[in-house]
Amino acid sequence: MKLKTMNPTFAKASLMALTLAIAAPLASAATTLVTFTNATRAGATVSSGTVTVASTVDGTNNPATITYSVTGLNLDDVGTNDDSLTVTLSLTGVGGAPGTPGGGRVGVGTNIDAGESISYTFQSVVATTGTSQALATNQDFNSVTTFNFDSTEQFTLVSNGGTSGTFSGTGTGTGNGTLTTVSMPGATDTQFSLSPSAGASGQIDSTAFTVQIPEPSSAMLFGSVALLGLVRRRR
Protein backbone atom coordinates (compact mmCIF):
# COMPACT_ATOMS: atom_id res chain seq x y z
CA MET A 1 0.00 0.00 0.00
CA LYS A 2 1.31 3.40 -0.95
CA LEU A 3 1.21 6.06 1.73
CA LYS A 4 -0.11 9.47 0.83
CA THR A 5 2.48 12.21 0.56
CA MET A 6 2.00 14.92 3.20
CA ASN A 7 1.29 18.39 1.91
CA PRO A 8 4.63 20.29 2.11
CA THR A 9 2.95 23.43 3.47
CA PHE A 10 1.22 21.44 6.23
CA ALA A 11 4.44 19.60 7.04
CA LYS A 12 6.35 22.87 7.32
CA ALA A 13 3.71 24.39 9.59
CA SER A 14 3.67 21.26 11.76
CA LEU A 15 7.45 21.30 12.12
CA MET A 16 7.37 25.00 13.06
CA ALA A 17 4.70 24.38 15.72
CA LEU A 18 6.64 21.47 17.12
CA THR A 19 9.83 23.50 17.18
CA LEU A 20 8.06 26.17 19.23
CA ALA A 21 6.64 23.53 21.56
CA ILE A 22 10.13 22.17 22.16
CA ALA A 23 11.76 25.57 22.55
CA ALA A 24 9.15 27.00 24.94
CA PRO A 25 9.97 24.90 28.01
CA LEU A 26 13.69 25.21 27.41
CA ALA A 27 13.39 28.98 27.68
CA SER A 28 11.93 28.74 31.20
CA ALA A 29 13.87 28.95 34.42
CA ALA A 30 16.10 26.26 35.79
CA THR A 31 15.46 24.89 39.27
CA THR A 32 15.24 27.70 41.83
CA LEU A 33 15.29 27.28 45.62
CA VAL A 34 13.89 29.73 48.15
CA THR A 35 15.01 28.77 51.65
CA PHE A 36 13.13 29.87 54.76
CA THR A 37 14.96 29.77 58.10
CA ASN A 38 13.93 30.95 61.58
CA ALA A 39 10.30 30.83 60.46
CA THR A 40 8.25 31.96 63.45
CA ARG A 41 4.91 33.66 64.12
CA ALA A 42 6.62 37.03 63.57
CA GLY A 43 8.44 36.39 60.32
CA ALA A 44 11.31 34.48 58.78
CA THR A 45 14.68 34.81 57.08
CA VAL A 46 14.65 34.04 53.36
CA SER A 47 17.51 33.31 50.97
CA SER A 48 16.24 35.94 48.52
CA GLY A 49 13.52 38.55 48.32
CA THR A 50 11.66 40.29 51.15
CA VAL A 51 9.35 38.36 53.48
CA THR A 52 6.37 39.48 55.55
CA VAL A 53 4.07 37.41 57.75
CA ALA A 54 0.33 37.90 57.50
CA SER A 55 -0.78 36.01 60.60
CA THR A 56 -0.02 36.78 64.22
CA VAL A 57 -0.04 33.94 66.72
CA ASP A 58 0.22 35.21 70.28
CA GLY A 59 -1.62 35.20 73.56
CA THR A 60 -4.82 36.62 72.06
CA ASN A 61 -4.56 35.61 68.41
CA ASN A 62 -4.55 31.91 67.70
CA PRO A 63 -5.12 31.37 63.95
CA ALA A 64 -4.92 27.93 62.43
CA THR A 65 -2.60 29.21 59.67
CA ILE A 66 0.51 31.35 59.26
CA THR A 67 1.16 32.92 55.86
CA TYR A 68 4.57 34.08 54.61
CA SER A 69 4.63 36.37 51.54
CA VAL A 70 7.88 36.89 49.65
CA THR A 71 8.32 39.56 46.97
CA GLY A 72 11.27 40.73 44.89
CA LEU A 73 12.07 37.29 43.48
CA ASN A 74 13.21 36.16 40.04
CA LEU A 75 11.73 32.69 39.80
CA ASP A 76 11.45 32.40 36.03
CA ASP A 77 14.85 33.82 35.01
CA VAL A 78 13.00 36.38 32.91
CA GLY A 79 13.14 40.14 33.41
CA THR A 80 13.61 41.72 36.81
CA ASN A 81 12.83 40.58 40.33
CA ASP A 82 9.08 40.89 39.86
CA ASP A 83 7.98 37.41 40.95
CA SER A 84 6.37 36.44 44.26
CA LEU A 85 5.85 33.46 46.52
CA THR A 86 3.16 32.90 49.16
CA VAL A 87 3.42 30.02 51.63
CA THR A 88 0.64 29.17 54.07
CA LEU A 89 1.34 26.73 56.89
CA SER A 90 -1.54 25.00 58.63
CA LEU A 91 -1.22 24.43 62.40
CA THR A 92 -3.28 21.69 64.01
CA GLY A 93 -3.13 21.20 67.75
CA VAL A 94 -4.29 18.57 70.21
CA GLY A 95 -4.95 19.48 73.83
CA GLY A 96 -3.84 23.01 74.65
CA ALA A 97 -1.42 23.19 71.74
CA PRO A 98 -1.76 25.88 69.02
CA GLY A 99 -4.49 25.38 66.49
CA THR A 100 -7.13 24.46 69.07
CA PRO A 101 -9.63 26.83 70.72
CA GLY A 102 -8.02 28.43 73.72
CA GLY A 103 -4.68 26.87 72.89
CA GLY A 104 -1.27 28.44 73.24
CA ARG A 105 0.86 30.17 70.69
CA VAL A 106 3.87 29.17 68.62
CA GLY A 107 7.28 30.39 69.68
CA VAL A 108 9.22 31.30 72.79
CA GLY A 109 6.96 31.72 75.79
CA THR A 110 4.47 28.97 75.03
CA ASN A 111 4.76 25.43 76.33
CA ILE A 112 3.59 22.28 74.63
CA ASP A 113 3.01 19.86 77.48
CA ALA A 114 2.62 16.11 77.78
CA GLY A 115 -0.66 15.00 76.24
CA GLU A 116 -0.53 17.83 73.69
CA SER A 117 0.82 17.83 70.16
CA ILE A 118 1.12 20.14 67.20
CA SER A 119 1.26 19.40 63.48
CA TYR A 120 2.60 21.65 60.72
CA THR A 121 1.40 21.17 57.13
CA PHE A 122 1.90 23.07 53.89
CA GLN A 123 -1.65 24.25 53.26
CA SER A 124 -0.82 26.10 50.05
CA VAL A 125 2.22 27.31 48.12
CA VAL A 126 1.67 29.77 45.28
CA ALA A 127 4.50 31.01 43.03
CA THR A 128 3.61 33.71 40.53
CA THR A 129 5.61 35.57 37.89
CA GLY A 130 5.39 39.29 37.23
CA THR A 131 3.06 38.50 34.32
CA SER A 132 0.70 36.56 36.64
CA GLN A 133 1.83 33.15 35.39
CA ALA A 134 1.57 30.39 37.99
CA LEU A 135 4.66 28.23 38.49
CA ALA A 136 4.88 24.67 39.77
CA THR A 137 6.42 24.18 43.22
CA ASN A 138 7.85 21.45 45.43
CA GLN A 139 8.07 22.16 49.17
CA ASP A 140 9.89 20.43 52.00
CA PHE A 141 10.34 20.98 55.75
CA ASN A 142 14.04 20.85 56.63
CA SER A 143 14.01 21.07 60.42
CA VAL A 144 12.20 22.20 63.55
CA THR A 145 13.84 23.99 66.48
CA THR A 146 12.54 23.60 70.03
CA PHE A 147 13.34 25.31 73.32
CA ASN A 148 13.69 22.80 76.16
CA PHE A 149 14.32 23.34 79.85
CA ASP A 150 15.80 20.00 80.82
CA SER A 151 17.90 17.38 79.07
CA THR A 152 15.71 14.66 80.59
CA GLU A 153 12.69 15.92 78.66
CA GLN A 154 11.95 14.01 75.46
CA PHE A 155 9.92 14.83 72.38
CA THR A 156 8.70 12.66 69.53
CA LEU A 157 8.93 13.98 65.97
CA VAL A 158 7.17 12.25 63.09
CA SER A 159 7.13 13.49 59.47
CA ASN A 160 5.48 12.09 56.36
CA GLY A 161 8.89 12.09 54.68
CA GLY A 162 10.16 9.26 56.87
CA THR A 163 11.60 11.06 59.93
CA SER A 164 10.50 9.34 63.11
CA GLY A 165 12.15 9.33 66.49
CA THR A 166 12.52 10.71 69.98
CA PHE A 167 15.01 13.39 70.94
CA SER A 168 15.99 15.01 74.21
CA GLY A 169 16.28 18.63 75.16
CA THR A 170 19.70 20.10 75.83
CA GLY A 171 18.84 22.46 78.69
CA THR A 172 20.34 22.31 82.18
CA GLY A 173 17.22 23.06 84.16
CA THR A 174 14.25 25.39 84.43
CA GLY A 175 15.15 28.87 83.22
CA ASN A 176 18.28 27.62 81.46
CA GLY A 177 16.76 26.04 78.39
CA THR A 178 18.57 25.93 75.08
CA LEU A 179 17.58 25.49 71.46
CA THR A 180 17.53 22.02 69.96
CA THR A 181 17.25 21.61 66.18
CA VAL A 182 16.07 18.33 64.69
CA SER A 183 16.55 17.77 60.97
CA MET A 184 14.08 16.16 58.61
CA PRO A 185 16.29 14.74 55.81
CA GLY A 186 13.48 13.33 53.70
CA ALA A 187 12.86 14.94 50.30
CA THR A 188 9.09 15.03 50.78
CA ASP A 189 8.55 16.27 54.34
CA THR A 190 5.37 18.24 53.77
CA GLN A 191 3.91 17.55 57.21
CA PHE A 192 5.31 16.87 60.68
CA SER A 193 4.01 16.54 64.24
CA LEU A 194 5.72 17.13 67.56
CA SER A 195 4.61 15.81 70.95
CA PRO A 196 6.27 15.74 74.40
CA SER A 197 6.68 12.58 76.43
CA ALA A 198 5.23 12.19 79.92
CA GLY A 199 6.42 14.95 82.22
CA ALA A 200 8.02 16.93 79.38
CA SER A 201 7.30 20.49 78.41
CA GLY A 202 8.85 22.69 75.76
CA GLN A 203 8.29 25.26 73.07
CA ILE A 204 8.54 25.40 69.30
CA ASP A 205 10.97 28.18 68.51
CA SER A 206 10.96 28.02 64.70
CA THR A 207 10.97 25.82 61.65
CA ALA A 208 12.95 25.83 58.41
CA PHE A 209 11.76 24.81 54.96
CA THR A 210 12.49 25.21 51.26
CA VAL A 211 10.34 25.84 48.22
CA GLN A 212 11.67 24.58 44.90
CA ILE A 213 10.61 25.99 41.54
CA PRO A 214 11.50 23.03 39.29
CA GLU A 215 12.90 23.31 35.80
CA PRO A 216 10.49 22.49 32.96
CA SER A 217 9.30 18.91 32.85
CA SER A 218 10.97 16.68 30.28
CA ALA A 219 7.59 15.06 29.53
CA MET A 220 6.52 17.83 27.15
CA LEU A 221 9.89 17.80 25.41
CA PHE A 222 9.79 14.00 25.01
CA GLY A 223 6.26 14.11 23.60
CA SER A 224 7.18 16.83 21.13
CA VAL A 225 10.21 14.92 19.87
CA ALA A 226 8.15 11.72 19.50
CA LEU A 227 5.50 13.59 17.49
CA LEU A 228 8.18 15.15 15.32
CA GLY A 229 9.50 11.67 14.53
CA LEU A 230 5.99 10.57 13.54
CA VAL A 231 5.62 13.48 11.12
CA ARG A 232 8.95 12.66 9.53
CA ARG A 233 8.05 8.97 9.23
CA ARG A 234 4.82 9.74 7.36
CA ARG A 235 6.45 12.01 4.79
Side-chain angles (χ1 to χ4, degrees), residues 6-197:
M6 180 176 287
N7 184 294
T9 302
F10 176 78
K12 183 176 181 181
S14 300
L15 290 174
M16 182 178 296
L18 288 169
T19 301
L20 291 175
I22 293 172
L26 295 180
S28 301
T31 301
T32 302
L33 282 177
V34 180
T35 303
F36 292 70
T37 55
N38 301 316
T40 68
R41 65 184 185 276
T45 301
V46 288
S47 56
S48 57
T50 302
V51 63
T52 57
V53 61
S55 304
T56 301
V57 185
D58 56 25
T60 53
N61 297 290
N62 190 37
T65 60
I66 300 179
T67 299
Y68 304 93
S69 299
V70 187
T71 57
L73 298 171
N74 187 359
L75 303 176
D76 56 0
D77 259 357
V78 177
T80 58
N81 298 338
D82 57 353
D83 306 331
S84 63
L85 177 65
T86 302
V87 180
T88 298
L89 303 182
S90 172
L91 282 62
T92 304
V94 173
T100 59
R105 62 187 188 273
V106 180
V108 175
T110 301
N111 286 350
I112 300 176
D113 303 313
E116 301 175 351
S117 67
I118 183 171
S119 296
Y120 275 52
T121 306
F122 286 106
Q123 177 172 297
S124 66
V125 180
V126 179
T128 309
T129 68
T131 57
S132 300
Q133 177 187 358
L135 300 174
T137 65
N138 296 317
Q139 39 280 344
D140 177 39
F141 284 111
N142 298 327
S143 65
V144 59
T145 299
T146 64
F147 185 83
N148 311 103
F149 290 116
D150 195 323
S151 60
T152 62
E153 296 180 338
Q154 293 186 325
F155 291 79
T156 299
L157 176 70
V158 177
S159 78
N160 63 350
T163 301
S164 180
T166 300
F167 65 95
S168 300
T170 56
T172 57
T174 302
N176 297 305
T178 56
L179 298 177
T180 301
T181 299
V182 181
S183 297
M184 287 173 270
T188 54
D189 292 296
T190 58
Q191 186 272 339
F192 71 88
S193 62
L194 186 71
S195 57
S197 58

Side-chain angles (χ1 to χ4, degrees), residues 206-232:
S206 61
T207 185
F209 54 89
T210 55
V211 176
Q212 179 190 64
I213 312 299
E215 59 186 345
S217 170
S218 60
M220 180 180 178
L221 179 60
F222 177 80
S224 299
V225 171
L227 188 55
L228 178 59
L230 178 61
V231 171
R232 286 180 171 171

